[in-house]
Amino acid sequence: MTTAEQLTQVFYNNFVAYYRSHAAHVNVTGRTFRSDHKMLGGIYERRQAEIDKIAEILRTMDEFMPSSIVDVCENSTIPTDAIEGSADELLEAVMMDLEHLLEDFKLLISIASDEGVEEVSNYAQDQADHLRVPSTVHKCCAA
């Protein structure tokens, strides 16, 4: 797999992770609504911001951003089914999506480094570092 191919896969998975975390944010209910809603808002906002960043990096590589939502859904390796359930179930699903995305970025680091595309490797490292941080999600989903 090339850097551009893995970056495109990251785009697919990031987009789906964004959408699912946004849906969880809007639909979360329960006793801890306020804190869960705020945390999920931060997650979806970060993933949403990365959609444009990943697309711009693809363009610098003379590649195009995927332009079909069907392609995004069909090529994502993060589930595209409905995200629903209790607050704990929503948080667990979002956490799994973020862990999956972390693995995608780790693979991108390796591929980009091997190909000497350091700016992409550095970007992926920044994203991986950020995805390792959400300990609040780990704590709330451990129950």
Side-chain angles (χ1 to χ4, degrees):
M1 182 171 283
T2 67
T3 298
E5 290 168 336
Q6 180 60 20
L7 189 60
T8 300
Q9 186 63 54
V10 165
F11 180 91
Y12 295 142
N13 290 344
N14 182 78
F15 193 95
V16 170
Y18 149 71
Y19 185 85
R20 286 169 52 90
S21 60
H22 199 153
H25 164 80
V26 171
N27 292 320
V28 71
T29 61
R31 188 179 59 78
T32 56
F33 166 80
R34 189 175 187 85
S35 61
D36 293 345
H37 187 76
K38 183 176 180 179
M39 179 181 53
L40 288 164
I43 291 169
Y44 93 72
E45 288 170 359
R46 175 69 185 235
R47 301 288 31 108
Q48 184 180 33
E50 295 313 311
I51 292 169
D52 191 58
K53 182 66 178 169
I54 297 165
E56 289 173 353
I57 295 170
L58 280 166
R59 291 300 299 134
T60 66
M61 300 176 73
D62 292 325
E63 300 289 333
F64 285 93
M65 178 187 111
S67 59
S68 164
I69 194 70
V70 172
D71 286 346
V72 170
C73 291
E74 287 179 351
N75 290 298
S76 174
T77 54
I78 290 177
T80 57
D81 55 335
I83 183 167
E84 47 194 18
S86 68
D88 286 344
E89 290 167 327
L90 292 173
L91 293 169
E92 182 64 27
V94 168
M95 189 66 238
M96 289 175 60
D97 293 350
L98 295 179
E99 288 173 0
H100 188 110
L101 197 54
L102 173 60
E103 294 306 313
D104 291 333
F105 277 111
K106 287 179 180 178
L107 183 55
L108 181 58
I109 293 164
S110 176
I111 294 169
S113 293
D114 288 349
E115 291 184 355
V117 188
E118 294 306 316
E119 62 278 9
V120 174
S121 179
N122 292 341
Y123 166 73
Q125 183 63 58
D126 289 345
Q127 291 304 302
D129 288 346
H130 175 40
L131 286 165
R132 288 184 187 105
V133 171
S135 60
T136 56
V137 178
H138 287 288
K139 289 176 188 171
C140 70
C141 296

